[in-house]
Amino acid sequence: MADRMVGKQAPRFTMDAVMPNKEFGKVNLEENMKNDKWTVLFFYPMDFTFVCPTEITAMSDRFDEFEDLDAEVIGVSTDTIHTHKAWINTSRDDNGLGELQYALAADHNHSVSKDYGVLIEDEGVALRGLFIINPEGELQYQTVFHNNIGRDVDETLRVLQALQTGGLCPANWKPGQETL
């Protein structure tokens, strides 16, 4: 039985990443917290696949909305930063990513995927997990689902906005509506 993570401090991480300027760098949860930022951390199975580029580019295309909500987006797979960079340098027309507005991190030793409970150990890849962490480092939201299904960026933004209200949001709540 897995331990509950929501409502607890999120596992800390530092990972190598390809930054939006296509240079190698690092992403770090503590840095986001220090900068009073929310963190939207999402895992995907692997580079150069079919569903993954649709959701990675969809998140990038909506990056300004995350930025307006003081959120840093970080995509993670168990591939290396070199594979990430090759995929970013491949055009969208050729099943690549093209320009991205956020970092793609490499969890090639699988430690962060394990810490977040999304690693498929016998395959060495992550499930599609999405985690929203507040600026205090508390994990506020988690969803993990089958690798055949891409995420909904609208729903991710809606949940982030709901969490930021600090109120009680009823079923089907939308930004701008009253909380309970």
Side-chain angles (χ1 to χ4, degrees):
M1 178 71 69
D3 291 335
R4 173 182 63 85
M5 292 178 64
V6 172
K8 294 183 177 182
Q9 285 293 300
R12 301 306 194 255
F13 59 81
T14 298
M15 291 181 279
D16 292 330
V18 180
M19 308 309 280
N21 64 4
K22 297 185 181 183
E23 292 182 9
F24 296 133
K26 296 213 181 271
V27 291
N28 179 305
L29 180 58
E30 295 283 343
E31 188 71 23
N32 290 354
M33 292 167 55
K34 186 175 82 179
N35 292 327
D36 203 34
K37 297 282 188 178
W38 289 74
T39 301
V40 176
L41 179 70
F42 74 93
F43 293 84
Y44 64 95
M46 67 182 83
D47 296 348
F48 293 99
T49 56
F50 301 100
V51 176
C52 297
T54 65
E55 61 182 359
I56 293 168
T57 57
M59 294 282 267
S60 183
D61 292 346
R62 307 276 301 274
F63 180 76
D64 290 347
E65 294 172 67
F66 288 100
E67 194 171 50
D68 289 345
L69 296 169
D70 290 323
E72 293 289 337
V73 177
I74 302 170
V76 184
S77 82
T78 57
D79 293 300
T80 68
I81 54 175
H82 303 288
T83 305
H84 287 345
K85 190 167 184 175
W87 201 23
I88 290 167
N89 285 331
T90 303
S91 78
R92 290 185 181 190
D93 292 338
D94 293 325
N95 199 38
L97 301 177
E99 301 293 322
L100 286 185
Q101 301 300 311
Y102 58 85
L104 277 190
D107 182 30
H108 56 88
N109 67 8
H110 305 169
S111 64
V112 180
S113 299
K114 280 182 191 175
D115 287 348
Y116 280 83
V118 296
L119 182 67
I120 303 172
E121 299 229 13
D122 57 330
E123 295 178 32
V125 300
L127 289 165
R128 293 190 195 284
L130 180 103
F131 302 85
I132 299 177
I133 304 162
N134 73 13
E136 291 76 40
E138 182 182 320
L139 184 60
Q140 298 277 295
Y141 177 82
Q142 114 181 39
T143 182
V144 180
F145 47 98
H146 196 280
N147 282 337
N148 290 347
I149 305 164
R151 279 166 270 253
D152 184 321
V153 179
D154 287 331
E155 177 62 4
T156 302
L157 285 162
R158 185 192 76 84
V159 169
L160 178 60
Q161 290 170 312
L163 290 168
Q164 290 180 349
T165 69
L168 301 173
C169 297
N172 302 317
W173 178 89
K174 301 279 189 264
Q177 293 179 338
E178 293 294 317
T179 56
L180 301 177

